[in-house]
Amino acid sequence: MTDKNYNEFLEITGPSRRQVEEINDFLMDSRCRREIKTSKSGFTVSYLLEESKKTLATFVCRKTGIKLRIYPQRLPEYMEFLDTLPAKMKKEIIKSSVCKRLINPDDCNPKCAMGYDFIMDNTRYQKCRYMAFMPAVTEESTPFIKEFLRKEFMQ
């Protein structure tokens, strides 16, 4: 079932297909488990860490193309990496929603996992967990996405 759904997902990735496969292979080789669900906007393909069972990343389908939502759990250990991202990826992070819960815990659903408080280019950001790190999957972004994910596996 998973392979069939994954192949169907690949069919809709368009020009990003090679990069999507590259990221998928990296995550699968890093011992993540892949889960595929269909949603209103297409497929969501999630990768869960074997040891913690937490979601590390999810491909999401948007009208603008395929994006990868990354849920870093060890960001404070390598926050300076964000300074090395290309301008386009930084712009996506800067434009993402502010985490209401970090600013005022009463402004958001108490069941919501808190967002990320980090520094990039000497500026502090408090971004929503679901929007902060969701780069478009492109030829330019893929090496940085893989490095971002790799840092989550480093110990």
Side-chain angles (χ1 to χ4, degrees), residues 83-99:
D83 295 343
T84 70
L85 297 175
K88 189 171 182 178
M89 288 179 75
K90 287 180 182 180
K91 187 177 177 182
E92 290 174 320
I93 293 168
I94 293 166
K95 284 176 39 180
S96 68
S97 306
V98 169
C99 176

Side-chain angles (χ1 to χ4, degrees), residues 1-109:
M1 175 179 118
T2 301
D3 288 330
K4 178 183 179 278
N5 285 345
Y6 179 68
N7 289 334
E8 288 177 23
F9 163 68
L10 285 177
E11 292 301 317
I12 64 164
T13 58
S16 303
R17 182 178 179 137
R18 192 173 104 274
Q19 289 83 21
V20 166
E21 288 183 283
E22 190 177 325
I23 294 166
N24 172 77
D25 292 348
F26 172 77
L27 288 165
M28 298 301 284
D29 290 345
S30 299
R31 298 184 321 275
C32 284
R33 189 180 80 226
R34 182 174 63 207
E35 287 185 356
I36 302 173
K37 297 177 181 166
T38 55
S39 69
K40 189 169 58 171
S41 60
F43 291 95
T44 57
V45 181
S46 298
Y47 297 85
L48 287 73
L49 295 166
E50 252 183 20
E51 60 277 358
S52 68
K53 309 286 188 250
K54 292 186 177 187
T55 302
L56 173 60
T58 301
F59 283 112
V60 292
C61 303
R62 295 288 187 259
K63 288 178 183 174
T64 57
I66 304 297
K67 293 184 173 260
L68 185 72
R69 182 177 286 137
I70 303 169
Y71 300 102
Q73 294 165 28
R74 301 172 57 209
L75 185 62
E77 296 172 32
Y78 58 86
M79 194 180 333
E80 65 282 350
F81 166 73
L82 299 176
D83 295 343
T84 70
L85 297 175
K88 189 171 182 178
M89 288 179 75
K90 287 180 182 180
K91 187 177 177 182
E92 290 174 320
I93 293 168
I94 293 166
K95 284 176 39 180
S96 68
S97 306
V98 169
C99 176
K100 295 176 191 175
R101 197 146 182 243
L102 279 171
I103 295 168
N104 179 358
D106 297 329
D107 280 353
C108 196
N109 184 333

Side-chain angles (χ1 to χ4, degrees), residues 68-70 72 75 82 93 116 118 128 131-135 148:
L68 185 72
R69 182 177 286 137
I70 303 169
L75 185 62
L82 299 176
I93 293 168
Y116 301 103
F118 60 93
C128 173
M131 301 305 291
F133 305 109
M134 197 163 83
F148 201 152

Side-chain angles (χ1 to χ4, degrees), residues 109-124:
N109 184 333
K111 292 182 181 178
C112 177
M114 243 186 245
Y116 301 103
D117 191 340
F118 60 93
I119 296 170
M120 181 174 68
D121 293 337
N122 298 315
T123 303
R124 182 178 181 206

